[in-house]
Amino acid sequence: LSEKAQRVLTLDTASQKEIVKARTAEAIARFGYGPNDTGSSASQMAILSVRIQALRDHLNANPRDKHNKRNLILMVNKRRRHMKYLRRTDYEKYREVMVGLGLH
């Protein structure tokens, strides 16, 4: 591909929504049990981590956005519940996901 085409296809020019979508697909491919696995706790933890990071960046730029601050708290608590479940049921996968996401 030409340099111009490569610049268009990178995430540098993408919207925030497209960036989150690409990072979510990466996380599912890395931690899921299959390419379409979005329901397992490991995948959910990875997806929520991507969304939490995007929302954290948004809240740093917009500190008075109280509605999304509440959504951030809800997502963090949901991820914590998935972590607790995965730790209880499949500790090896839990350690793999925690190290891979940089949470532990």
Side-chain angles (χ1 to χ4, degrees):
L1 292 173
S2 69
E3 182 183 333
K4 199 172 190 179
Q6 286 177 345
R7 247 184 308 159
V8 170
L9 295 176
T10 62
L11 290 178
D12 296 337
T13 59
S15 68
Q16 184 65 29
K17 187 174 183 178
E18 291 169 337
I19 292 171
V20 169
K21 191 173 183 178
R23 288 185 181 158
T24 300
E26 266 179 36
I28 290 171
R30 185 169 176 199
F31 298 110
Y33 292 104
N36 295 325
D37 176 28
T38 57
S40 68
S41 288
S43 295
Q44 288 292 315
M45 281 173 57
I47 292 167
L48 285 167
S49 294
V50 170
R51 292 180 61 202
I52 286 168
Q53 182 61 46
L55 200 50
R56 191 180 311 138
D57 294 343
H58 169 76
L59 288 173
N60 285 337
N62 303 288
R64 293 174 58 184
D65 188 353
K66 303 301 182 198
H67 295 288
N68 279 325
K69 186 175 182 179
R70 179 180 185 274
N71 289 333
L72 176 68
I73 292 168
L74 291 175
M75 277 193 267
V76 168
N77 286 329
K78 186 179 279 194
R79 181 179 68 182
R80 185 181 46 79
R81 287 192 306 267
H82 280 289
M83 288 165 48
K84 195 172 173 183
Y85 171 78
L86 193 60
R87 184 178 61 223
R88 189 174 66 237
T89 58
D90 187 1
Y91 190 74
E92 291 302 317
K93 187 70 172 178
Y94 167 77
R95 292 294 302 158
E96 175 190 335
V97 174
M98 293 296 283
V99 169
L101 293 174
L103 295 175
H104 203 261

